[in-house]
Amino acid sequence: MRDDLSEAQKNGGIIEILWVGRCDGDGRICDAWAAARGDATSVPALFPHMSRGDVVIHNHPRGDLRPSGADLAVASRLGNQGIGFLIVDPQVQNVNVVVTPLAKHERMPLNVEELRGVLEPGGTLDQKMSDFESRDEQVELLGAVAQAFNHGSPLVAEAGTGVGKSFAYLLPALQWVSNNEERVVISTATIALQQQLMEKDIPLAMKLLDVDVKTALVKGRGNYLCLKRLQEAGEAEELFGGGDGIQGIRSWAEESTTGSKSDLPFQPEPSAWARVRSESDNCPGAFCPFFDRCFLMKARRQASDSSLLVANHHLLFADLAARREGAGEDETVVLPAYRSIVFDEAHHLESSATALFSQSLSLPALNRVLFRLWNKKGKFFLGIFPRLSGLKSANADVFLGQLPPLIEAVRGKAENWDALARDLFGAEHHIRFSGDPSEGERTRFLAPLEELRKELSKLSGQFAEAFGALDEEQGNPEIEGLLVEARQAAGVLQEALSVADAFLHRDEYPHHVFHIEATRRSDGRDWIEAHQTPLSVASLVRESVWEPFGTVVGVSATLAVGGRFDHWRRRVGATNLVDAPHEAIYPSPFDYASQVMLAVPSDAPSPEEGGVWENFLIQALSESIEISGGHALVLFTSYQTLKRTLVGVRSTLGDSAPVLLAQGDDDRGRLLKRFRDNPSSVLFATDSFWEGVDVPGEALKMVIITRLPFRPPTDPVGQARSEAVAARGGRPFFELSLPDAVTRFRQGFGRLMRRRDDHGAVLVLDSRICRKNYGSLFLNSLPPACRCVKPWQRLLEDVEDFLYSK
């Protein structure tokens, strides 16, 4: 190191240098090398692959060992990975240990061949299950996952339907946890997969390995009942009447051991559950009088005692975001600390990260915090302000006299902003703001928002001043709990103020998308929600996932486009990494060529022909349903088209129609149950039904894709991202729209064949798939099914023959 400094001085004076050091078993630096050189005041923070226990050594040429703001930012980021950060003087005689590296620990590698043997012919699973068939693809995927754990490296894998990807990653993950006592998180996008893992796959995998690993399903706090809020709702009910469905929840709470919404024996009213569910900004934590009985805390303790966690992408990203902002590597944030991540349904990573890193402002969200602060019903004063006014050090006149009018002013301005902004909407449900504001945006959105911002600023400032005057050292847990609630409410006001400021100065945020959405509440009333969304989440995901963690496995049935992972990797920041992910595609072992027909009517009108195409749709669906006798899933890209088509099909088929179910008739879970329980039924659906629908056997013989699933051009985030691609000289259609549509199309196609002996047809009623040049990308992305492209009537005959050929 001294030699590096001497050489630098000879060649241009004192400069800042950044070294990387390796530590021995006693924590002493045994090796170091220069990784980057700068000038007299700064050095690039570029690091080679480093791991827990390593150190970064950074000289301050002027001898001042105090860390700068940039130093602290880098030290925080590296410290979250267990990497130390040291500052030395020019003579390398004095050192400031800003972050101490965490001790390395020896890991026991997985025996890959032994694990592969569990799934090979004659292996443990073959011996335990008489109907088990070993699949080469599953064995190879397991081997790749095991190597990722052994080497602490990333893996990106596509596993077609029937490969058995769950066992391929669960067996290595469970064995790794058992060998090394390191926590692993399995993250999924859907509840259905989480339930399958917890109830079926994990118990069987542990039995196959003969290991006993504590596991926990980790859910967001909104899934749990808050006993404190339940009590408050009951007190309000006694004072003002109106149960709003609370009584049933209260009776259940007396017997429940979990407090989880999924364990309720009935479906609660949304408004009732919203009043009693746990909320992060309305939780006094350890100061809550119900803390010892808290359902959420019980679940978190169970998670802390578990080595394998099953969570959803959104919850995991909430934890990753907190760690990215400086929470320690070994701290419990949203989740207890972990070392490795397996993303199943990894094609959802970008959308999950986008949702988590977005910020919103709406009238209902503001009202929630305002009513928590102050609410007057008759002669009664409710909320945080009346409770604070009773504290010894509080100025009651401030909390009961000065602040409540400010709350009413904020509420009035928020209602005015919401009402005026709603007038901006026509038939569309989303509006994106970009470029210079229009007259409508200025007068109906920005001007009333500025009025709201001013009142919010007054309320937030005076609340902070009044709160700062309180004596927080009162020692009473109930008082301290109240102060925690007050701080949380103040934080919500600050977040709302931040979003309002961003919208009013959106030209200062070129890497964000600003848009508003018209939403209908459960009571039928409309309101708007303003969203500030990152233009790209690639760097956020890179800094949160790929850089701090070694073993990261991303797996899905639909990750590649045209046999390559480039599109997905670009969108989630998995490019230009020091340790590039290993990539692999494991095709489905199913015999699509003889089991599935892909049918496309060559004479179908284009969807761009509007009414002509919809008339064809009604005819084609009616005739298809007649020949199949039902047993069909019909997938749409538009709910309005679904509703119009359903009316036409019902009219055409009349009394001969099978049971026709439609999205919106019931909640998703019950609707799918009705579909499974009635094999001759037909389900008309859109959105989430393109994936996660697992209906093997007789209930599903035909999947009908009405239109290629391109995202609507009105999607504001999609618009902005397309413009960004075009601005750098790219082609938005081929870089964004087409790959996204192909991925969704493959998900829809995959609904048909769920078991090896399933048999049926996939009809694509969008002739662009065979008329447009890009159609080949859709077709070539599918397994090699029996492909049939003919005029409609001849095609229908072939489909009928195929359906009844077995």
Side-chain angles (χ1 to χ4, degrees), residues 6 12 30 44 105 140 232 244 261 321 391 400 407 425 435 464 509 571 600:
S6 299
C30 59
H105 61 269
E140 293 304 315
E232 292 170 349
D244 195 26
K261 182 183 177 184
L391 300 183
L400 297 180
I407 282 192
F425 289 91
Y509 297 86
R571 304 307 302 168
V600 182

mmCIF file of all heavy atoms in Angstrom, residues 6 12 30 44 105 140 232 244 261 321 391 400 407 425 435 464 509 571 600:
data_model
loop_
_atom_site.group_PDB
_atom_site.id
_atom_site.type_symbol
_atom_site.label_atom_id
_atom_site.label_comp_id
_atom_site.label_asym_id
_atom_site.label_seq_id
_atom_site.Cartn_x
_atom_site.Cartn_y
_atom_site.Cartn_z
ATOM 1 N N SER A 6 3.560 5.875 -2.808
ATOM 2 C CA SER A 6 4.819 6.464 -3.256
ATOM 3 C C SER A 6 4.833 6.620 -4.769
ATOM 4 O O SER A 6 5.258 7.651 -5.304
ATOM 5 C CB SER A 6 6.005 5.600 -2.805
ATOM 6 O OG SER A 6 6.051 5.522 -1.388
ATOM 7 N N GLY A 12 2.489 12.415 -10.179
ATOM 8 C CA GLY A 12 1.449 13.436 -10.233
ATOM 9 C C GLY A 12 0.905 13.867 -8.907
ATOM 10 O O GLY A 12 -0.140 14.488 -8.855
ATOM 11 N N CYS A 30 -4.550 -9.839 5.408
ATOM 12 C CA CYS A 30 -3.410 -10.639 4.954
ATOM 13 C C CYS A 30 -3.045 -10.365 3.506
ATOM 14 O O CYS A 30 -1.987 -10.789 3.036
ATOM 15 C CB CYS A 30 -3.709 -12.128 5.150
ATOM 16 S SG CYS A 30 -5.174 -12.713 4.269
ATOM 17 N N PRO A 44 -13.124 6.653 -7.651
ATOM 18 C CA PRO A 44 -14.316 5.895 -8.058
ATOM 19 C C PRO A 44 -14.606 4.758 -7.078
ATOM 20 O O PRO A 44 -13.701 4.033 -6.665
ATOM 21 C CB PRO A 44 -13.926 5.333 -9.438
ATOM 22 C CG PRO A 44 -12.819 6.203 -9.918
ATOM 23 C CD PRO A 44 -12.082 6.626 -8.693
ATOM 24 N N HIS A 105 -17.326 -17.337 7.768
ATOM 25 C CA HIS A 105 -17.526 -18.647 8.370
ATOM 26 C C HIS A 105 -17.487 -19.700 7.272
ATOM 27 O O HIS A 105 -17.901 -19.464 6.142
ATOM 28 C CB HIS A 105 -18.846 -18.717 9.148
ATOM 29 C CG HIS A 105 -20.066 -18.474 8.321
ATOM 30 N ND1 HIS A 105 -20.606 -17.215 8.148
ATOM 31 C CD2 HIS A 105 -20.863 -19.327 7.632
ATOM 32 C CE1 HIS A 105 -21.678 -17.300 7.387
ATOM 33 N NE2 HIS A 105 -21.861 -18.555 7.063
ATOM 34 N N GLU A 140 -31.212 -31.873 -14.033
ATOM 35 C CA GLU A 140 -30.204 -30.904 -14.463
ATOM 36 C C GLU A 140 -30.416 -29.543 -13.793
ATOM 37 O O GLU A 140 -29.451 -28.876 -13.405
ATOM 38 C CB GLU A 140 -30.232 -30.753 -15.990
ATOM 39 C CG GLU A 140 -29.777 -32.002 -16.747
ATOM 40 C CD GLU A 140 -28.389 -32.448 -16.331
ATOM 41 O OE1 GLU A 140 -27.485 -31.574 -16.210
ATOM 42 O OE2 GLU A 140 -28.188 -33.658 -16.103
ATOM 43 N N GLU A 232 -60.385 -0.512 19.340
ATOM 44 C CA GLU A 232 -60.790 0.850 19.007
ATOM 45 C C GLU A 232 -62.059 0.856 18.161
ATOM 46 O O GLU A 232 -62.944 1.698 18.354
ATOM 47 C CB GLU A 232 -59.661 1.567 18.276
ATOM 48 C CG GLU A 232 -58.444 1.832 19.152
ATOM 49 C CD GLU A 232 -57.243 2.320 18.369
ATOM 50 O OE1 GLU A 232 -57.273 2.268 17.121
ATOM 51 O OE2 GLU A 232 -56.250 2.739 18.996
ATOM 52 N N ASP A 244 -70.612 -2.571 10.944
ATOM 53 C CA ASP A 244 -69.815 -2.685 9.711
ATOM 54 C C ASP A 244 -69.066 -4.016 9.627
ATOM 55 O O ASP A 244 -67.934 -4.092 9.165
ATOM 56 C CB ASP A 244 -68.836 -1.515 9.628
ATOM 57 C CG ASP A 244 -68.238 -1.361 8.221
ATOM 58 O OD1 ASP A 244 -68.902 -1.796 7.266
ATOM 59 O OD2 ASP A 244 -67.137 -0.820 8.104
ATOM 60 N N LYS A 261 -56.016 -13.307 8.028
ATOM 61 C CA LYS A 261 -57.254 -13.153 7.265
ATOM 62 C C LYS A 261 -57.616 -14.424 6.505
ATOM 63 O O LYS A 261 -58.793 -14.766 6.363
ATOM 64 C CB LYS A 261 -57.111 -11.982 6.287
ATOM 65 C CG LYS A 261 -58.359 -11.685 5.467
ATOM 66 C CD LYS A 261 -58.086 -10.570 4.477
ATOM 67 C CE LYS A 261 -59.306 -10.312 3.595
ATOM 68 N NZ LYS A 261 -59.008 -9.280 2.562
ATOM 69 N N ALA A 321 -35.454 -3.021 0.065
ATOM 70 C CA ALA A 321 -35.371 -1.565 -0.033
ATOM 71 C C ALA A 321 -34.875 -0.978 1.278
ATOM 72 O O ALA A 321 -34.050 -0.055 1.289
ATOM 73 C CB ALA A 321 -36.736 -0.981 -0.399
ATOM 74 N N LEU A 391 -51.412 15.053 27.884
ATOM 75 C CA LEU A 391 -50.083 14.864 28.472
ATOM 76 C C LEU A 391 -49.682 16.097 29.277
ATOM 77 O O LEU A 391 -50.054 17.228 28.957
ATOM 78 C CB LEU A 391 -49.051 14.598 27.373
ATOM 79 C CG LEU A 391 -49.278 13.358 26.501
ATOM 80 C CD1 LEU A 391 -48.129 13.205 25.521
ATOM 81 C CD2 LEU A 391 -49.440 12.114 27.330
ATOM 82 N N LEU A 400 -56.082 20.855 20.640
ATOM 83 C CA LEU A 400 -57.548 20.864 20.546
ATOM 84 C C LEU A 400 -58.088 22.114 19.861
ATOM 85 O O LEU A 400 -59.230 22.096 19.382
ATOM 86 C CB LEU A 400 -58.165 20.744 21.948
ATOM 87 C CG LEU A 400 -57.867 19.451 22.705
ATOM 88 C CD1 LEU A 400 -58.532 19.478 24.071
ATOM 89 C CD2 LEU A 400 -58.337 18.239 21.919
ATOM 90 N N ILE A 407 -56.393 20.548 10.097
ATOM 91 C CA ILE A 407 -56.795 19.255 9.536
ATOM 92 C C ILE A 407 -58.001 19.431 8.622
ATOM 93 O O ILE A 407 -58.052 18.870 7.518
ATOM 94 C CB ILE A 407 -57.102 18.256 10.668
ATOM 95 C CG1 ILE A 407 -55.786 17.724 11.232
ATOM 96 C CG2 ILE A 407 -57.981 17.106 10.169
ATOM 97 C CD1 ILE A 407 -55.915 16.552 12.146
ATOM 98 N N PHE A 425 -60.715 13.235 -16.542
ATOM 99 C CA PHE A 425 -60.877 11.915 -17.155
ATOM 100 C C PHE A 425 -62.066 11.880 -18.109
ATOM 101 O O PHE A 425 -63.122 12.445 -17.824
ATOM 102 C CB PHE A 425 -61.063 10.842 -16.083
ATOM 103 C CG PHE A 425 -59.829 10.548 -15.295
ATOM 104 C CD1 PHE A 425 -59.556 11.239 -14.122
ATOM 105 C CD2 PHE A 425 -58.913 9.602 -15.726
ATOM 106 C CE1 PHE A 425 -58.418 10.989 -13.388
ATOM 107 C CE2 PHE A 425 -57.765 9.340 -15.007
ATOM 108 C CZ PHE A 425 -57.517 10.039 -13.833
ATOM 109 N N GLY A 435 -44.008 16.641 -20.297
ATOM 110 C CA GLY A 435 -43.838 17.871 -21.048
ATOM 111 C C GLY A 435 -44.414 19.063 -20.299
ATOM 112 O O GLY A 435 -44.614 19.047 -19.087
ATOM 113 N N ALA A 464 -45.253 19.169 13.950
ATOM 114 C CA ALA A 464 -43.877 18.854 14.348
ATOM 115 C C ALA A 464 -43.419 19.756 15.490
ATOM 116 O O ALA A 464 -42.755 19.309 16.434
ATOM 117 C CB ALA A 464 -42.943 18.997 13.149
ATOM 118 N N TYR A 509 -37.544 15.679 -11.836
ATOM 119 C CA TYR A 509 -37.501 14.224 -11.652
ATOM 120 C C TYR A 509 -37.583 13.535 -13.020
ATOM 121 O O TYR A 509 -38.576 12.882 -13.346
ATOM 122 C CB TYR A 509 -38.664 13.764 -10.768
ATOM 123 C CG TYR A 509 -38.628 14.323 -9.365
ATOM 124 C CD1 TYR A 509 -39.179 15.564 -9.074
ATOM 125 C CD2 TYR A 509 -38.054 13.600 -8.324
ATOM 126 C CE1 TYR A 509 -39.153 16.082 -7.790
ATOM 127 C CE2 TYR A 509 -38.025 14.102 -7.038
ATOM 128 C CZ TYR A 509 -38.573 15.348 -6.781
ATOM 129 O OH TYR A 509 -38.548 15.842 -5.508
ATOM 130 N N ARG A 571 -34.148 -5.599 -17.817
ATOM 131 C CA ARG A 571 -35.229 -4.955 -17.062
ATOM 132 C C ARG A 571 -35.016 -5.050 -15.557
ATOM 133 O O ARG A 571 -35.503 -4.217 -14.808
ATOM 134 C CB ARG A 571 -36.581 -5.572 -17.424
ATOM 135 C CG ARG A 571 -36.937 -5.556 -18.901
ATOM 136 C CD ARG A 571 -36.849 -4.202 -19.529
ATOM 137 N NE ARG A 571 -37.704 -3.212 -18.900
ATOM 138 C CZ ARG A 571 -37.635 -1.907 -19.135
ATOM 139 N NH1 ARG A 571 -36.729 -1.439 -19.963
ATOM 140 N NH2 ARG A 571 -38.449 -1.075 -18.519
ATOM 141 N N VAL A 600 -55.082 -21.747 -35.422
ATOM 142 C CA VAL A 600 -55.210 -20.320 -35.755
ATOM 143 C C VAL A 600 -56.066 -20.193 -37.014
ATOM 144 O O VAL A 600 -55.716 -20.758 -38.059
ATOM 145 C CB VAL A 600 -53.830 -19.681 -36.007
ATOM 146 C CG1 VAL A 600 -53.983 -18.187 -36.291
ATOM 147 C CG2 VAL A 600 -52.894 -19.904 -34.829
#
